[in-house]
Amino acid sequence: MSSVALADVEQLTVGELLGRRLKTSLIVLSACDTGLGQSTDGDDAVGFARSLLVAGVQAIVVSVWPVNDLVTSVLMREFYQRLQKGQGGSEASREAQLAARQLKAEEMEQYRSGYSKGIAPR
C-alpha cells in the first residue's frame, strides 16, 4: 500500500508501478523513512523504493530513518547543486552530506530564517 503523492495530488502506489518500465536515471524521495519496506511471507522487503528499481529506475535516493526538514532542505540543495555541476550521484550525495555537516551555527540560522519564510538562501 506504499504510495507517493504526485504534484497533481494523485497517489502513485507500489501496485501501479508493478509491470511498468521507467526510463529514469535518478529518483529522489526526500522524506522520512522513504526507503523502508515491509517484509512479506517470503522475507522479501517490498516497498516503494524497491518497486521503482524493479520498474527500471537506475538509482534512488531515500531515507531509512526520520529526517529533519531543515537539514534535509540543506542536504537536497547541496545535492542538486552538485548534480548540476556534473558530479555523479554518489559523489554529489557524499559531498552534500559533508557540506551539511560542516555548516556553522550562524549559517544554519540564516538558512532557518529563509526556510521559515519559504526562501532558501543561495
Side-chain angles (χ1 to χ4, degrees):
M1 299 304 293
S2 294
S3 67
V4 66
L6 303 175
D8 59 3
V9 191
E10 285 186 56
Q11 297 286 318
L12 178 61
T13 67
V14 168
E16 291 171 329
L17 282 172
L18 297 175
R20 284 198 184 182
R21 294 304 306 159
L22 302 176
K23 295 179 182 178
T24 304
S25 59
L26 175 67
I27 289 184
V28 177
L29 304 174
S30 62
C32 296
D33 302 323
T34 55
L36 297 180
Q38 293 187 336
S39 294
T40 64
D41 292 338
D43 290 331
D44 290 331
V46 176
F48 200 79
R50 181 167 179 198
S51 298
L52 288 167
L53 290 171
V54 170
V57 175
Q58 295 175 10
I60 303 171
V61 175
V62 297
S63 171
V64 291
W65 54 81
V67 294
N68 175 280
D69 288 345
L70 181 60
V71 175
T72 300
S73 181
V74 170
L75 182 69
M76 290 293 101
R77 177 195 66 189
E78 296 290 333
F79 177 67
Y80 283 113
Q81 285 176 349
R82 283 160 174 74
L83 285 178
Q84 289 176 338
K85 291 178 182 176
Q87 290 183 341
S90 296
E91 182 182 8
S93 175
R94 180 183 158 301
E95 289 193 20
Q97 290 174 49
L98 290 173
R101 284 182 170 192
Q102 293 171 355
L103 277 180
K104 296 180 177 117
E106 59 270 9
E107 293 170 317
M108 186 59 87
E109 189 52 43
Q110 285 178 335
Y111 201 92
R112 182 184 321 278
S113 175
Y115 181 79
S116 67
K117 296 174 186 168
I119 305 167
R122 298 190 189 267

